[in-house]
Amino acid sequence: MSASAVFILDVKGKPLISRNYKGDVPMTEIDHFMPLLMQREEEGVLAPLLSHGRVHFLWVKHSNLYLVATTLKNANASLVYSFLYKTVEVFCEYFKELEEESIRDNFVIVYELLDELMDFGFPQTTDSKILQEYITQQGNKLETGKSRVPPTVTNAVSWRSEGIKYKKNEVFIDVIESVNLLVNANGSVLLSEIVGTIKLKVFLSGMPELRLGLNDRVLFELTGRSKNKSVELEDVKFHQCVRLSRFDNDRTISFIPPDGDFELMSYRLSTQVKPLIWIESVIEKFSHSRVEIMVKAKGQFKKQSVANGVEISVPVPSDADSPRFKTSVGSAKYVPEKNVVIWSIKSFPGGKEYLMRAHFGLPSVETEEVEGRPPIGVKFEIPYFTVSGIQVRYMKIIEKSGYQALPWVRYITQSGDYQLRTS
């Protein structure tokens, strides 16, 4: 059993939209949600599930909105939360940004969507591409797209329409890895993990079946291959199109893809990552009237690779003024509202080392720094490179008409939450 009703509330707890699917929970029960949430927050015991009497509130917050599902039963909580997050995703597809204003401007279409997303407490059609076939919009107005529901909704493959045709059949595969890293002032790595996604852009005719092969360690063990160049994937999550039973049996990623862009899968690797861009910083204060910051950045990745769009955010004292910069490459900019200097380097080859010096004036009044300095943050993107060593070994495209299709693969490594402490 899933939700009895779904509410969208503003930041003060006032209902903007409500949809009662079963009628077993009085709609006035939602009035208890916000006082309950504030009470739990004050007590320091706030939880994603709150109860008032026999009514349970399962909620998520997005931007300045609360999405709340109510139920009387012992509902499948993971199903309800998946539904709420999927609802957010669908609304974002329709309105670009989900916030109070977009809900107020699109009441009619929001009600239409809530009617299609769930029926009598059970999730129904939650794929935004399919919903857009018969719930269409122009500006803020709902337009009746098709008088009948497309057959896709009742098909076994609900995420792809029949009769799709392209002159040129192609599949573009993006393997994107984000590096989360935290290094302490002594240079020791406190936290490191890789969060990866495989995204596809599909331009294929008909109803093709795709099979994707990766250098997956479990697969290599099953088939007796060498594990040297394999990768052990953790927390793997697939798009609904993937045949999970097939993956469980022989680790084959087999699927009929949606048309256009979608995320096929995500994964995580808890592994010791060598910092790709290493930062050292030295701060010197001169008689409390000025401060000099010297920052050294080194690319610790392969020499044939290049990091693009590098941004190094260096914290500076909040009372600093009169900035002067000298860089061996790129440009530096003072952002006083964030108390940081941002050093931008358009192209940073592996193995290279660059310097940046910043001079600031300080007030003549002597003040001791009570709080520690925030960490240095780094942003970057390295194309044609993955930290984990994951590889797309093959992509087979099978369609009954027998056409030839071209798969294209691109690898990208980028910074996630990448921080280096300096004190």
Side-chain angles (χ1 to χ4, degrees), residues 171-305:
V171 180
F172 296 89
I173 307 164
D174 278 349
V175 181
I176 303 167
E177 291 191 338
S178 297
V179 180
N180 295 332
L181 188 80
L182 179 61
V183 178
N184 70 10
N186 300 325
S188 302
V189 176
L190 301 178
L191 177 148
S192 78
E193 67 172 3
I194 301 164
V195 178
T197 57
I198 297 181
K199 296 182 178 180
L200 268 63
K201 191 176 280 191
V202 177
F203 303 108
L204 296 174
S205 306
M207 295 289 276
E209 177 169 332
L210 275 59
R211 288 178 196 160
L212 178 70
L214 303 172
N215 56 334
D216 175 12
R217 183 162 299 171
V218 178
L219 173 64
F220 278 32
E221 287 173 353
L222 286 171
T223 54
R225 292 196 189 107
S226 167
K227 295 187 288 182
N228 288 348
K229 291 189 177 179
S230 63
V231 174
E232 189 171 356
L233 304 175
E234 301 168 24
D235 296 343
V236 180
K237 189 173 81 173
F238 289 110
H239 186 275
Q240 62 173 331
C241 66
V242 175
R243 295 182 178 90
L244 295 179
S245 57
R246 182 84 188 269
F247 181 76
D248 287 340
N249 286 337
D250 58 13
R251 305 292 283 192
T252 299
I253 302 171
S254 171
F255 56 99
I256 295 172
D259 189 44
D261 298 346
F262 74 103
E263 186 178 297
L264 176 68
M265 63 180 283
S266 62
Y267 59 89
R268 185 178 61 84
L269 286 93
S270 295
T271 181
Q272 196 74 7
V273 180
K274 183 182 179 182
L276 297 172
I277 295 180
W278 181 254
I279 306 292
E280 292 177 19
S281 72
V282 177
I283 298 176
E284 284 188 74
K285 284 191 177 180
F286 298 92
S287 64
H288 303 286
S289 61
R290 64 189 178 91
V291 64
E292 182 178 307
I293 302 171
M294 192 273 286
V295 178
K296 183 166 73 174
K298 184 179 180 182
Q300 298 192 143
F301 47 92
K302 294 176 183 176
K303 288 184 179 179
Q304 58 265 41
S305 296

Side-chain angles (χ1 to χ4, degrees), residues 380-393:
F380 59 85
E381 186 174 282
I382 308 173
Y384 319 115
F385 173 78
T386 57
V387 196
S388 68
I390 193 170
Q391 290 177 347
V392 174
R393 291 170 47 243

Side-chain angles (χ1 to χ4, degrees), residues 5-139:
V6 171
F7 300 84
I8 300 176
L9 315 179
D10 66 16
V11 74
K12 294 178 181 176
K14 183 182 175 184
L16 301 172
I17 292 276
S18 59
R19 182 69 180 87
N20 198 342
Y21 293 105
K22 294 170 65 181
D24 59 346
V25 177
M27 301 299 274
T28 51
E29 282 290 334
I30 197 63
D31 296 339
H32 300 291
F33 169 73
M34 191 53 76
L36 196 60
L37 183 137
M38 292 176 74
Q39 181 190 336
R40 294 283 190 274
E41 201 167 17
E42 284 174 14
E43 294 169 354
V45 289
L46 188 60
L49 189 149
L50 303 172
S51 299
H52 179 264
R54 293 171 58 234
V55 179
H56 307 295
F57 302 101
L58 295 91
W59 62 279
V60 299
K61 189 177 182 185
H62 180 86
S63 188
N64 57 353
L65 298 173
Y66 291 95
L67 281 81
V68 186
T70 59
T71 180
L72 287 177
K73 308 280 183 183
N74 184 15
N76 182 337
S78 61
L79 177 65
V80 176
Y81 285 114
S82 293
F83 172 77
L84 291 175
Y85 282 114
K86 193 68 186 176
T87 301
V88 169
E89 194 179 304
V90 169
F91 287 164
C92 287
E93 287 280 336
Y94 268 83
F95 313 132
K96 303 303 175 202
E97 286 185 16
L98 177 58
E99 51 192 23
E100 186 178 335
E101 191 178 342
S102 55
I103 295 293
R104 291 189 184 280
D105 289 346
N106 296 279
F107 271 130
V108 179
I109 200 165
V110 170
Y111 274 114
E112 280 282 321
L113 288 169
L114 287 174
D115 277 347
E116 296 298 333
L117 286 163
M118 183 173 276
D119 187 30
F120 199 66
F122 292 97
Q124 299 296 310
T125 307
T126 58
D127 192 300
S128 58
K129 285 180 182 168
I130 302 304
L131 287 165
Q132 283 168 354
E133 288 188 25
Y134 61 105
I135 300 178
T136 58
Q137 66 175 145
Q138 276 189 346

Side-chain angles (χ1 to χ4, degrees), residues 390-405:
I390 193 170
Q391 290 177 347
V392 174
R393 291 170 47 243
Y394 63 82
M395 167 67 85
K396 291 180 182 174
I397 301 163
I398 305 154
E399 213 280 330
K400 61 185 178 183
S401 65
Y403 60 70
Q404 294 296 308

